[in-house]
Amino acid sequence: LPEVNIGILPGAGGTQRLPRIVGPMIAAEIICTGKHIPAEKAYDYGILDQVIYCNNPNDSLSSERALLKQKAIEFALTVANDDVKCRIVSQRPCPKMDNMFYDQLSKRFSKRRKGWLSPQLCLESIRACQNAKTFEDGLKEERKNSYTLATGPQARALQHFFFSQRQAAKIPGINRKSM
């Protein structure tokens, strides 16, 4: 969930759902740092249901594409027989974490990204997941924090910086491989 890197927080309940899956400590590490996690680690955390390895999944003629399709159908048939309520993340409880850990995480994220608002408000949204009476109450806090970030100058500046970096890599006449 890299949104923190451009000054915003994950929308659509990301700060409310992920803590219910992996717990608030791991969710804070993923959301507040914006670091990508490998598929194997996401599987170990319970974020992914299955990992299928392929060398060339985009090749329409490859046997791997057929394997992906077969595995997807097998998984769908397996899940179809399961109780659907256990798969609805918004109905799961959020594990509790002591406020001391939130304070320590806040200090750590403040040191790592001095002056950045997004890691702090992401952390507050994760805390709301634990403290809110309902999933909807947690979403309200997430929306409030999301609006604060999205309308602030810091997010606009970080997004400008992000897209400027991407554009700089596409300067006509410059071959990146020759550098």
Side-chain angles (χ1 to χ4, degrees):
L1 303 171
E3 292 87 346
V4 72
N5 295 322
I6 58 170
I8 58 176
L9 58 80
T15 64
Q16 301 306 299
R17 287 182 174 87
L18 191 59
R20 287 175 162 79
I21 296 170
V22 301
M25 183 69 87
I26 293 171
E29 189 64 35
I30 293 170
I31 293 171
C32 298
T33 64
K35 290 182 185 173
H36 295 278
I37 58 170
E40 297 82 13
K41 199 170 202 175
Y43 175 77
D44 291 342
Y45 287 153
I47 298 168
L48 301 176
D49 292 312
Q50 195 172 21
V51 177
I52 300 169
Y53 299 95
C54 293
N55 292 324
N56 194 3
N58 295 322
D59 183 0
S60 63
L61 300 175
S62 80
S63 60
E64 292 174 336
R65 191 172 179 112
L67 172 70
L68 280 173
K69 187 175 181 180
Q70 175 191 347
K71 292 289 188 180
I73 291 169
E74 288 173 10
F75 180 73
L77 292 171
T78 302
V79 173
N81 295 325
D82 290 347
D83 179 20
V84 90
K85 286 186 179 180
C86 69
R87 301 200 62 81
I88 302 172
V89 176
S90 63
Q91 293 181 0
R92 295 182 191 176
C94 180
K96 302 293 182 199
M97 187 168 77
D98 192 83
N99 282 330
M100 175 195 69
F101 290 110
Y102 284 106
D103 294 340
Q104 288 179 346
L105 286 171
S106 177
K107 287 176 188 170
R108 193 170 110 221
F109 297 141
S110 289
K111 284 181 186 175
R112 189 178 287 168
R113 296 199 172 164
K114 273 191 181 244
W116 284 42
L117 298 175
S118 53
Q120 297 304 318
L121 289 182
C122 285
L123 189 60
E124 285 307 310
S125 296
I126 293 167
R127 189 189 308 234
C129 176
Q130 160 181 315
N131 295 335
K133 292 187 191 292
T134 65
F135 180 76
E136 288 73 25
D137 290 344
L139 284 177
K140 285 178 188 172
E141 183 69 17
E142 179 185 90
R143 261 191 306 276
K144 181 187 83 155
N145 290 337
S146 181
Y147 181 79
T148 299
L149 290 170
T151 58
Q154 193 174 84
R156 285 193 300 278
L158 289 168
Q159 290 164 25
H160 178 75
F161 179 71
F162 174 82
F163 289 113
S164 296
Q165 284 181 313
R166 299 301 175 276
Q167 285 302 111
K170 298 177 186 177
I171 297 174
I174 296 179
N175 184 353
R176 288 184 69 193
K177 291 181 181 178
S178 67
M179 297 177 112

